[in-house]
Amino acid sequence: MNSIKFLYAAYVATWTIHLLYVGSLVRRYRRLKQDLSELKKK
Amino acid sequence: MKRAFPILATFTALALVYASYQALRVAPTDALQGDVYRIIYYHVPSAWTAFLLFFINFIASVHYLVDSNRSASRVAKWMVLAIGIGGCVVAYVTPLPNGMRPSVAATTALAITAVYFVIGKYFSGDRLDMLAVTTAEVGVVFCTIVLVTGPIWARPVWGIWWAPGDIRLTSTLVLWLIYVSYLVLRRFSNSAQTQVLAATVAVFGALDVPLVYFSIWFFRTQHPQPVIGGGGSMDPRMLHVLLISWMAFLCFAFLVCWLRYRFETMRREVEEAQVLESLLGDDRGPSAETGNPKVALNRSGL
C-alpha cells in the first residue's frame, strides 16, 4: 500500500490550515492597529 | 502577561516538534494499516481539542444568557450541580452502553460542573461573549482539520474518501456547519441582539457534540471505535504518543485562543472609540473631555 503520500498530505493539510488561520489573524490585527493609529491621530 | 506569551509560544513550538517526532518516528507502525495510521496523531487530538473548545463555547454562552437574570442564574447553577452529582451516581449505578467505562462518564459529568463554575468565576458580561466567539472560531479551525484529515486517512484504508450516511461523519460535518453559521451570524448581523442570538445558536449547536461523540456507541458506523473510554483497544506506546500529541495541540490551541481573545478585546475597544468619535467628534471636537477617542483608548490601555 503506497500510503505514505496520504500521511504527508494529511500533515501538510493540517499545518496549511493552521498557518492560514494564524495568517488571517495577523492580517486582521495589523488592520486594527492601522485603525487605532488613525484614531490616535485625530 | 506580555512576558508569558513568548515563553508559552516557545514551549508550544518545542512541544509540537517533539510530538511530530514521536508520531512520525517513535510510535510503532500499525500491522494492518502501515504508516498511514499515523494520521490519527493529528486527526484525533484535533477532534478532542475542537470538542473541548465547543464545550467551552457552550458554557460561556449559557453563562451569557442566564447571568443577566438572577433567578435563571441560580436555576442554572443547581442544574449544573445536579448534572455533576447525578452523572457520577448514574455512571456507576445504571448499565452503560457496551465498552463505555463508568469512570469516563463520571469524569465527564464532573468536568461539566467544574468548567461551568471556573468560567463563571473568571468571566462575566461581555468577556463571556468574547470567550464564546474565540473558542467557536478556533474550534472551527480544528474541526476543519478533522474533516480534512479524516477522508485522507479513509481513502487508503477504506478505499473511499467519505462514507455517505455514516452517522459519525455526517454529524461532524453538521457540527462544523453549525459553528460556521454561528460565525457568519456574528460577522454579518448588525442587530443589537446579535450576541444573544449567537449564544442561543451556540447552546443548540453544542447538542450535536455528544451526538458526534457517542454516535459510535449508539449507531452502526464505519468509523473506528474510540481509543479512550470505549471499546477500542490500542497499543500503550501508541496511546502514549497520542496523549503527547494532544497535549501539544492543547498548548497550541490555548496560544491561538489567547491571540484571538486579545484581538477581540482590542477590536471592541477600537469600535467603541470609533463610535464615540463619530458621535461627538463633529459637535464638540476631538479635544472635548468625554468625546476624545484618545481618552477612551488610553483608559483601555491601548
Side-chain angles (χ1 to χ4, degrees):
Chain A
M1 192 189 292
N2 183 19
S3 58
I4 203 80
K5 63 181 179 187
F6 289 99
L7 174 65
Y8 288 128
Y11 277 57
V12 168
T14 300
W15 288 110
T16 306
I17 292 165
H18 277 314
L19 289 176
L20 283 175
Y21 177 66
V22 172
S24 87
L25 211 55
V26 170
R27 192 168 43 84
R28 284 186 281 172
Y29 186 78
R30 275 191 193 145
R31 207 182 301 153
L32 200 64
K33 279 262 187 192
Q34 215 171 354
D35 288 350
L36 190 66
S37 60
E38 278 171 23
L39 266 174
K40 280 182 175 171
K41 275 181 203 164
K42 284 182 186 175
Chain B
M1 290 296 262
K2 274 183 181 175
R3 219 179 282 169
F5 187 83
I7 294 169
L8 183 67
T10 310
F11 176 76
T12 303
L14 291 174
L16 286 168
V17 169
Y18 180 66
S20 293
Y21 171 72
Q22 289 279 327
L24 292 170
R25 294 277 167 207
V26 177
T29 305
D30 187 83
L32 291 174
Q33 297 178 28
D35 279 326
V36 77
Y37 98 94
R38 293 176 197 275
I39 290 175
I40 67 159
Y41 296 121
Y42 274 26
H43 177 79
V44 176
S46 295
W48 289 346
T49 308
F51 290 160
L52 182 69
L53 291 168
F54 291 148
F55 172 62
I56 294 171
N57 170 273
F58 167 69
I59 298 288
S61 300
V62 169
H63 265 299
Y64 187 78
L65 289 173
V66 302
D67 279 5
S68 53
N69 185 322
R70 192 176 285 181
S71 57
S73 176
R74 204 175 301 150
V75 169
K77 269 181 195 168
W78 283 109
M79 277 177 71
V80 171
L81 274 175
I83 288 169
I85 298 165
C88 281
V89 173
V90 168
Y92 285 99
V93 171
T94 59
L96 295 172
N98 197 20
M100 193 187 289
R101 291 188 198 131
S103 58
V104 173
T107 309
T108 308
L110 284 175
I112 292 171
T113 312
V115 172
Y116 184 86
F117 285 105
V118 167
I119 289 178
K121 186 170 168 57
Y122 292 105
F123 293 86
S124 61
D126 268 358
R127 292 179 71 194
L128 282 167
D129 188 56
M130 290 194 289
L131 178 67
V133 72
T134 297
T135 48
E137 199 174 289
V138 181
V140 164
V141 173
F142 278 94
C143 198
T144 307
I145 289 164
V146 175
L147 287 169
V148 170
T149 53
I152 294 175
W153 170 83
R155 182 67 183 86
V157 177
W158 292 347
I160 47 171
W161 293 101
W162 188 266
D166 186 282
I167 186 84
R168 175 45 93 80
L169 275 57
T170 311
S171 55
T172 309
L173 180 63
V174 169
L175 183 72
W176 182 82
L177 287 171
I178 289 170
Y179 280 95
V180 168
S181 315
Y182 170 91
L183 294 174
V184 169
L185 170 74
R186 298 199 68 113
R187 175 71 183 80
F188 294 106
S189 170
N190 288 322
S191 161
Q193 295 294 311
T194 301
Q195 293 171 341
V196 175
L197 280 173
T200 312
V201 169
V203 169
F204 283 103
L207 295 177
D208 194 33
V209 174
L211 178 68
V212 174
Y213 191 75
F214 293 113
S215 58
I216 289 173
W217 278 287
F218 295 116
F219 302 96
R220 288 180 66 182
T221 168
Q222 204 163 342
H223 194 280
Q225 288 295 300
V227 289
I228 285 182
S233 61
M234 194 179 204
D235 186 295
R237 289 170 298 168
M238 292 178 178
L239 187 61
H240 178 74
V241 176
L242 188 67
L243 292 177
I244 289 172
S245 286
W246 190 35
M247 288 302 120
F249 269 74
L250 275 182
C251 289
F252 182 68
F254 181 75
L255 199 71
V256 177
C257 281
W258 187 344
L259 273 176
R260 180 65 182 84
Y261 188 85
R262 271 183 66 181
F263 168 77
E264 187 65 22
T265 312
M266 249 180 95
R267 191 187 67 78
R268 290 182 189 213
E269 285 168 351
V270 169
E271 249 178 34
E272 264 177 41
Q274 281 172 335
V275 169
L276 208 62
E277 196 247 340
S278 64
L279 281 174
L280 301 171
D282 294 341
D283 300 337
R284 302 171 65 182
S287 60
E289 196 188 333
T290 53
N292 189 349
K294 284 180 184 171
V295 173
L297 291 171
N298 287 339
R299 203 173 43 221
S300 64
L302 299 173

